Amino acid sequence: MLLEVRNLISGYGKLKVLFNVNLDVEEKEITVVVGPNGAGKTTLLNSIMGIATIYDGAVYYNGSKISGMPTHKISRLGIAYLPQMGNVFTELTVNENLRLASYLLDKAEVKDRMDEVLSLFPVLDKFINRKAGTLSGGERRMLAIAMALMRRPKIILLDEITTDLAPIIAKKVLNQIIDLRDKLGLTILIVEQLAKIALELGDQAYLLVSGTMRYSGKALELLRHPDFSELYLGIKKI
Amino acid sequence: MLPSIAIAKAVAYADSIALMAAGITLIYMCTRTFNFAHASFVTWGLYVVYAMTMLQGGSPYYYLPLAFLFVGVLGVAVYMLVIGPLMRRGASPTTLMMTTLGVDLVLLSTIQMFADFLTRTYRLYARRVVLEVYDFNTLGIPGITYVSLIIVVVLIAAIHWFMVKTKFGTAMRATIENPDLSSVLGINPNVVYIASWFIGGGLAGLGGGIASLAISGDPTIGSRIIVSMFASSIVGGLYSVYGSVLGGLLIGLTEYLGIMLLSTQLGGWILTYRPVIPLIAMAITLLIYPRGLAGINWGKALLRIKSLGGRTWK
């Protein structure tokens, strides 16, 4: 198991958002966490990354406990995170954003990685000296993914990657993620509100409602569950 | 008309205020802390140059780098012992600002003690610092006018180069914009905050050192000019170091020359009201254009002025 979340109770300040949450992410698989708005999906990723406050429980990466570590140290272990909002530096150019994503690498390595990443997202090459704030929503999302890939992470955590994107672009971005898993052997943890699209591409799935896990199992099984809508809305429990 | 010596001294004073304001802005941008302890930082810079000139001899200019280093380290100490721990506990910007007021009082006491120490141990009249006599003169203009101007230009160019061309500078700009995303990318924001307090403190120390050659000082000099520093930072735009330098030059010159002009017209009694000038500038900026000089779209503004010039009035 690459990433494990055990009996996690977490939140912000005095507000508890997640209650006894458990999650397993297998290597080279796409794990999807779906749930309605306000279920605590972003808090789950923020807890893994050390941004939210953990009151109880723990997070393990490759068997070692990472909960309690500062965010920058968690990131250096090979965990990349794409937050839903503010996932690029709008005041910096595309070039600066990509270079910053490889902050800890030496110059020669940065050049190699940059070429590699730009070959995956050739559209970014055209805007290399433009400020990221001037890019469209889809282009920004691509830049954010490219930034995550610059460090060749072992696992990427994606928070609502399709938000604000037109359905065609959203599908394109998600297909690109499957390609990345296949090409680079990445492990991916996606948190998504667009349950149908996300479950279609996932291997394992979790359903998070009101801060508690209501389902864990195969993604397609959850999608085909006869009471999926009720489960999703928290009206029914398994 | 004002004598050229007064204009020359006003330029040196404005340069020192510009450096102090740049420090305030940098610290605010990085750690959201409106640092009132800047008053004592500046005074410590002045006293480092004074004490070293008196005790070691030589030109006061030799000790300007030391003033930068000493107060830079003092800034780091304030961050690590007080501000950093509070930030980690989620203190609000108001709490941080009020805390720096307390820090300022503590530092002010240490300056008072240091001045007394200099008086008792070395028989120096440390409660009134005048270093103008140690300055050189070229073409009837004090050396500090030339040197301070060169320092401001070189330092701002160096800061620009550092922020745009170096990896750490880019990381600093990124952390200012989004500290959470920076840490997600593996950057330790704490290192960026420490650097900002070092550079910000250093700029205050250097400003204080320059002020020691431009105006007469005492242990409370920082508290008296803190209004000018904050006014410069606000007039320049709180989110731009370059704007704060521009604001500093504007406030420093207006305050120094304005009060001189007023006193020749209205009498010496007006000199007491000198801090009112930066206060008015600050109030006008906050009322009319809170984003300050750096927030103005100069291209658009110039076009507007041009279009006004081309208009024919009936």
Side-chain angles (χ1 to χ4, degrees):
Chain A
M1 204 71 63
L2 191 62
L3 186 76
E4 296 165 67
V5 175
R6 291 285 166 265
N7 305 318
L8 187 75
I9 302 175
S10 65
Y12 306 97
K14 285 176 184 167
L15 180 74
K16 287 179 183 171
V17 180
L18 297 180
F19 306 93
N20 276 315
V21 166
N22 287 291
L23 176 95
D24 292 320
V25 178
E26 289 277 3
E27 215 168 338
K28 293 178 188 173
E29 276 196 355
I30 297 179
T31 305
V32 182
V33 178
V34 293
N37 215 353
K41 302 185 295 293
T42 299
T43 307
L44 174 62
L45 297 189
N46 281 346
S47 305
I48 295 169
M49 289 308 294
I51 297 169
T53 313
I54 294 177
Y55 306 105
D56 205 0
V59 180
Y60 299 91
Y61 177 69
N62 257 339
S64 311
K65 192 178 169 188
I66 59 166
S67 39
M69 279 169 71
T71 306
H72 67 275
K73 283 194 178 160
I74 294 175
S75 158
R76 288 175 191 182
L77 294 173
I79 304 178
Y81 176 34
L82 261 79
Q84 183 186 355
M85 307 293 286
N87 44 30
V88 298
F89 298 103
T90 54
E91 289 297 315
L92 305 188
T93 63
V94 170
N95 187 27
E96 285 174 329
N97 267 286
L98 290 171
R99 284 180 185 281
L100 204 65
S102 50
Y103 185 69
L104 300 167
L105 306 177
D106 60 54
K107 253 186 183 177
E109 246 181 319
V110 172
K111 208 197 161 305
D112 288 349
R113 301 274 175 98
M114 197 108 139
D115 293 342
E116 197 178 294
V117 162
L118 288 174
S119 70
L120 287 169
F121 301 97
V123 69
L124 294 176
D125 210 5
K126 281 194 278 177
F127 309 128
I128 199 81
N129 290 318
R130 250 170 69 174
K131 274 193 178 179
T134 64
L135 301 180
S136 70
E139 288 157 358
R140 273 194 216 189
R141 227 49 69 91
M142 282 180 198
L143 173 59
I145 299 171
M147 283 165 73
L149 295 177
M150 281 293 284
R151 286 176 301 137
R152 282 194 197 140
K154 288 182 192 135
I155 177 168
I156 302 189
L157 318 182
L158 303 168
D159 188 6
E160 311 244 355
I161 192 97
T162 59
T163 306
D164 300 333
L165 294 184
I168 301 172
I169 311 238
K171 205 141 201 182
K172 206 174 155 188
V173 169
L174 287 171
N175 284 332
Q176 215 144 14
I177 288 164
I178 301 174
D179 277 356
L180 289 176
R181 193 263 312 257
D182 297 341
K183 269 187 205 166
L184 308 173
L186 278 172
T187 305
I188 297 166
L189 172 61
I190 302 180
V191 148
E192 195 47 77
Q193 211 178 318
L194 293 176
K196 195 173 171 290
I197 302 177
L199 291 172
E200 274 172 0
L201 66 91
D203 299 305
Q204 294 296 318
Y206 289 83
L207 175 64
L208 187 66
V209 181
S210 302
T212 54
M213 281 298 186
R214 299 287 173 90
Y215 173 90
S216 64
K218 294 280 170 205
L220 287 175
E221 277 175 24
L222 176 61
L223 185 64
R224 287 171 194 149
H225 197 287
D227 299 326
F228 176 66
S229 301
E230 285 88 345
L231 287 169
Y232 186 83
L233 294 170
I235 299 167
K236 231 178 192 182
K237 284 184 185 177
I238 293 176
Chain B
M1 260 310 268
L2 289 166
S4 57
I5 185 84
I7 297 169
K9 278 191 168 185
V11 170
Y13 174 72
D15 290 337
S16 69
I17 295 287
L19 292 174
M20 297 167 198
I24 285 184
T25 302
L26 185 67
I27 288 173
Y28 179 75
M29 282 165 73
C30 288
T31 57
R32 295 285 177 269
T33 309
F34 235 151
N35 180 29
F36 276 93
H38 228 68
S40 295
F41 283 7
V42 166
T43 316
W44 262 117
L46 183 138
Y47 270 90
V48 165
V49 173
Y50 169 72
M52 294 305 286
T53 308
M54 291 297 149
L55 302 178
Q56 296 294 315
S59 166
Y61 291 108
Y62 299 158
Y63 306 110
L64 289 179
L66 188 66
F68 183 97
L69 275 176
F70 180 84
V71 186
V73 171
L74 187 64
V76 171
V78 169
Y79 172 76
M80 292 187 82
L81 297 172
V82 186
I83 303 299
L86 283 174
M87 280 174 71
R88 282 192 285 279
R89 285 179 177 83
S92 69
T94 315
T95 307
L96 295 174
M97 183 180 76
M98 297 309 286
T99 306
T100 62
L101 268 173
V103 172
D104 188 51
L105 289 175
V106 173
L107 290 178
L108 181 62
S109 306
T110 61
I111 295 163
Q112 302 273 19
M113 285 190 271
F114 184 64
D116 284 344
F117 167 76
L118 290 176
T119 307
R120 287 187 180 196
T121 314
Y122 299 103
R123 303 266 167 236
L124 293 173
Y125 190 49
R127 292 209 162 257
R128 188 158 180 82
V129 173
V130 183
L131 288 180
E132 283 169 61
V133 286
Y134 296 91
D135 198 4
F136 65 92
N137 226 290
T138 307
L139 304 168
I141 305 266
I144 192 65
T145 306
Y146 304 108
V147 175
S148 63
L149 208 58
I150 293 167
I151 287 176
V152 168
V153 172
V154 169
L155 259 182
I156 294 310
I159 288 175
H160 179 78
W161 174 83
F162 172 72
M163 296 295 260
V164 175
K165 296 285 177 194
T166 68
K167 209 166 157 181
F168 189 75
T170 311
M172 232 170 148
R173 280 157 60 214
T175 307
I176 288 168
E177 186 185 327
N178 190 340
D180 278 345
L181 184 59
S182 302
S183 49
V184 158
L185 293 176
I187 297 162
N188 183 354
N190 209 32
V191 175
V192 172
Y193 299 153
I194 290 171
S196 75
W197 277 80
F198 178 73
I199 299 169
L203 288 171
L206 191 58
I210 289 172
S212 72
L213 284 150
I215 51 173
S216 57
D218 61 69
T220 61
I221 183 75
S223 314
R224 288 205 309 280
I225 57 173
I226 188 86
V227 176
S228 308
M229 297 181 222
F230 277 112
S232 306
S233 186
I234 288 168
V235 168
L238 264 176
Y239 292 94
S240 165
V241 173
Y242 314 117
S244 66
V245 170
L246 206 59
L249 295 174
L250 201 69
I251 292 285
L253 287 171
T254 315
E255 182 194 335
Y256 199 100
L257 297 176
I259 203 69
M260 279 194 94
L261 277 171
L262 285 172
S263 67
T264 54
Q265 299 297 316
L266 304 171
W269 62 270
I270 196 87
L271 291 169
T272 324
Y273 296 95
R274 182 171 165 164
V276 175
I277 295 176
L279 272 176
I280 291 174
M282 187 158 59
I284 291 174
T285 309
L286 289 173
L287 281 171
I288 297 174
Y289 203 74
R291 289 169 68 194
L293 293 171
I296 296 173
N297 186 335
W298 290 102
K300 249 185 185 174
L302 283 173
L303 276 175
R304 218 166 164 186
I305 292 166
K306 271 185 191 169
S307 71
L308 282 175
R311 194 181 288 171
T312 50
W313 301 93
K314 286 180 184 172

